[in-house]
């Protein structure tokens, strides 16, 4: 079905990062192939050769052939390739052309000038298959990350290509919506679609994969059947730089500091003017200071609202935060805290990665001292080689690390990070976790909105569970907390399966 013959590729921007060397691979019709490896190993580049983005969109030095059903894909125009290959990207917004869901789902069919009755028939089949009734005729801007990803899958489904290519599709999803994504992929597999997926999160994909391709530095170094891959030990998986196959079996690796300093939160309340009902209602809460606190809960539970309240970003939020004997109103908390958003594109402003870090630094220091500190931060996040690049030219995971670097440089007492490890491989997740622990040792209090169980187990010392705008429970990250987390995520998977 798909065949790579002696493929080598280097991007026009220069260097070997993310390029490919001597790729020879056959993907049979109806196979599901999982491509894994650390960031920069060439996973995304491989998918771009299948969907035609290379060479039609990304320039570079390309050698070899990519064949689909015996035809050289590299010689075909993009519109021809799109009839055979459908793509779902890491950030679904990059592939949307409309502002409303139903129009977006049928856009590809309309582009091909299919008859209206056929378009409506395809829309109805996709709605039933992917359970989309509640998402029809909705603004794309109002959807959650998981809902947007489901719409992106629906767009591909209606055009009905034989080959599906997915690049890091779960990077911005929580456990519940990851299960939704798994059901979509499973439905394509039952239809005998050929599926190629590049991913870091492996636990939900390995059971569906026929083969697992492991890449290092642009080369395919190992190839496994599903059975062979499942026989790998957790230590072997870690040494390969891969995420855990059994995240629920992980054990807490951190310990709460033995101190009695607290952050006190009183009368945190927030509601939207038009709706009136409280989206956040926390009368009183005491949590330990100088800890790494995981904030968990369902989508829409109020986690992000709580984070904005901590930062003082919502001016209508009521309540007072007490820290180190001082009380901080909503307005005063702006200077106390720093937030890294889930979509970091909203907070990257400068022309270079180095300048982005310097922007957050204290101007009281000398320029030379600030540059030295900024370079140390970049080095700790594996970004020093990118210091002169424009932040918007980086990959999603690299942008995430730049924003985290800015938070580190800010020197604020409270740091809030929204899904800081989305799209990160195991090694870079550990690097982010290590930097968070260093900040904790410097006296910072760190709040992390996350569904990354590996990050929680390895780095977080405390857990705060939010449900319907209220704190349902909070406790140190220990075996009891892990049991509660496992119950929560298991229940979400059951709910998703029923839906």
């Amino acid at each position: 079905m798909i065949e790579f013959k002696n493929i080598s590729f280097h991007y026009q921007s220069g260097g070997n990062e993310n390029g490919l060397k001597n790729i020879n691979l056959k993907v049979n019709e109806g196979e599901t192939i999982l491509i894994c490896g650390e960031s920069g190993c060439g996973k995304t580049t491989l998918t771009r050769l299948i969907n035609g983005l290379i060479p039609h969109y990304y320039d570079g030095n390309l050698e070899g052939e990519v064949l689909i059903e015996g035809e050289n894909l590299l010689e075909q125009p993009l519109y021809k390739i799109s009839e055979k290959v459908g793509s779902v990207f890491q950030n679904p917004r990059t592939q949307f052309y409309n502002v409303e869901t139903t129009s977006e789902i049928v856009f590809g069919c309309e582009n091909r000038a299919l008859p209206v009755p056929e378009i409506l028939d395809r829309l109805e089949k996709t709605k039933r298959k992917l359970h989309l009734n509640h998402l029809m005729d909705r603004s794309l801007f109002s959807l959650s990350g998981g809902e947007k990803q489901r719409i992106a899958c629906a767009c591909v489904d209606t055009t009905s290509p034989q080959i599906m290519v997915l690049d890091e599709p779960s990077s911005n999803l929580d456990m519940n919506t990851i299960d939704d994504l798994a059901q979509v992929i499973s439905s394509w597999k039952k239809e005998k679609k050929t599926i190629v997926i590049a991913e870091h999160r492996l636990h939900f994909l390995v059971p569906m994969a026929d083969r697992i391709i492991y890449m290092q530095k642009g080369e395919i170094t190992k190839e496994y059947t599903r059975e062979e891959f499942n026989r790998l030990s957790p230590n072997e998986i870690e040494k390969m730089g891969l995420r855990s196959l059994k995240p629920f079996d992980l054990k807490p690796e951190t310990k709460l500091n033995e101190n009695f300093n607290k952050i006190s939160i009183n009368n945190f309340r927030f509601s939207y003017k038009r709706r009136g009902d409280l989206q956040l209602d926390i009368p009183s809460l005491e949590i330990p200071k100088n800890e790494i606190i995981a904030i968990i809960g369902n989508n829409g539970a109020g986690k992000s609202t709580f984070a904005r309240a901590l930062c003082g970003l919502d001016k209508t939020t009521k309540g007072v935060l007490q820290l180190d004997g001082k009380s901080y109103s909503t307005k005063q908390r702006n200077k106390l805290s720093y937030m890294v958003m889930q979509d970091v594109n909203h907070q990257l402003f400068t022309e270079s990665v180095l300048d982005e870090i310097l922007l957050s630094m204290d101007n009281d220091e000398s320029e030379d001292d600030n540059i030295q500190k900024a370079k140390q931060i970049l080095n700790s996040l594996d970004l020093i080689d990118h210091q002169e690049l424009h932040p918007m030219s980086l990959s999603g995971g690299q942008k995430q690390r730049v924003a985290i670097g800015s938070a580190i440089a800010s020197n604020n007492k409270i740091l809030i990070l929204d899904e800081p490890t989305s799209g990160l491989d195991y090694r870079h997740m550990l690097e982010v976790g290590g930097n968070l622990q260093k900040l904790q040792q410097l006296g910072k209090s760190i709040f992390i909105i996350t569904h990354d169980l590996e990050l929680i187990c390895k780095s977080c010392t405390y857990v705060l569970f939010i449900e319907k705008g209220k704190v349902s429970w909070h406790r140190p990250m220990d075996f009891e907390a892990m049991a509660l987390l496992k119950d929560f995520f298991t229940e979400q998977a059951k709910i998703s399966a029923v839906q």
Side-chain angles (χ1 to χ4, degrees), residues 257-262 288-289:
N257 291 324
E258 294 182 1
N259 64 65
F260 300 96
N261 297 318
K262 303 288 183 181
K289 174 190 169 187

Side-chain angles (χ1 to χ4, degrees), residues 18-216:
N18 303 322
L20 299 174
K21 294 180 286 186
N22 306 316
I23 298 294
N24 287 281
L25 175 67
K26 288 185 179 180
V27 181
N28 299 318
E29 185 173 357
E31 261 195 312
T32 299
I33 301 295
L34 170 58
I35 307 171
C36 60
E38 292 188 334
S39 294
C41 71
K43 300 186 301 296
T44 295
T45 302
L46 198 67
T47 65
R48 289 171 178 169
L49 281 162
I50 299 174
N51 60 25
L53 289 179
I54 296 174
H56 295 290
Y57 187 81
Y58 295 97
D59 294 327
N61 181 25
L62 176 61
E63 300 175 3
E65 293 181 312
V66 181
L67 306 177
I68 291 185
E69 297 178 337
E71 295 184 357
N72 191 341
L73 197 69
L74 306 179
E75 297 176 353
Q76 298 183 34
L78 269 176
Y79 74 88
K80 280 290 185 183
I81 297 172
S82 67
E83 294 174 0
K84 303 173 184 177
V85 183
S87 298
V88 178
F89 301 126
Q90 179 176 345
N91 184 354
R93 293 188 310 165
T94 61
Q95 62 190 100
F96 290 156
Y97 293 88
N98 295 273
V99 296
E100 173 263 320
T101 55
T102 305
S103 299
E104 185 62 39
I105 292 171
V106 299
F107 179 76
C109 296
E110 292 174 336
N111 236 11
R112 294 183 187 175
L114 296 178
V116 171
E118 183 177 349
I119 293 176
L120 295 175
D121 182 59
R122 290 188 180 204
L123 174 63
E124 193 60 36
K125 288 178 180 177
T126 295
K127 279 169 53 181
R128 288 199 303 268
K129 184 197 306 182
L130 304 188
H131 309 290
L132 296 176
N133 281 332
H134 66 295
L135 295 179
M136 291 297 96
D137 303 315
R138 295 266 303 275
S139 166
L140 286 166
F141 302 105
S142 70
L143 302 185
S144 68
E147 290 169 336
K148 288 174 184 173
Q149 195 67 286
R150 186 177 280 199
I151 295 298
C153 291
C155 296
V156 174
D157 190 78
T158 54
T159 57
S160 195
Q162 182 54 36
I163 300 170
M164 303 292 193
V165 176
L166 298 91
D167 182 21
E168 301 283 359
S170 78
S171 64
N172 294 310
L173 306 184
D174 59 28
M175 286 289 189
N176 190 14
T177 45
I178 283 176
D179 193 72
D180 291 339
L181 175 65
Q183 291 183 49
V184 172
I185 296 170
S186 179
S187 70
W188 289 338
K189 186 174 176 66
K190 290 175 183 176
E191 295 173 357
K192 307 295 183 184
K193 302 285 188 183
T194 303
I195 307 170
V196 179
I197 309 173
E199 253 295 359
H200 287 305
R201 291 177 174 176
L202 306 180
H203 68 275
F204 78 103
L205 284 174
V206 169
M208 291 184 282
D210 298 302
R211 278 189 292 157
I212 293 90
I213 306 298
Y214 178 67
M215 297 185 67
Q216 289 179 296

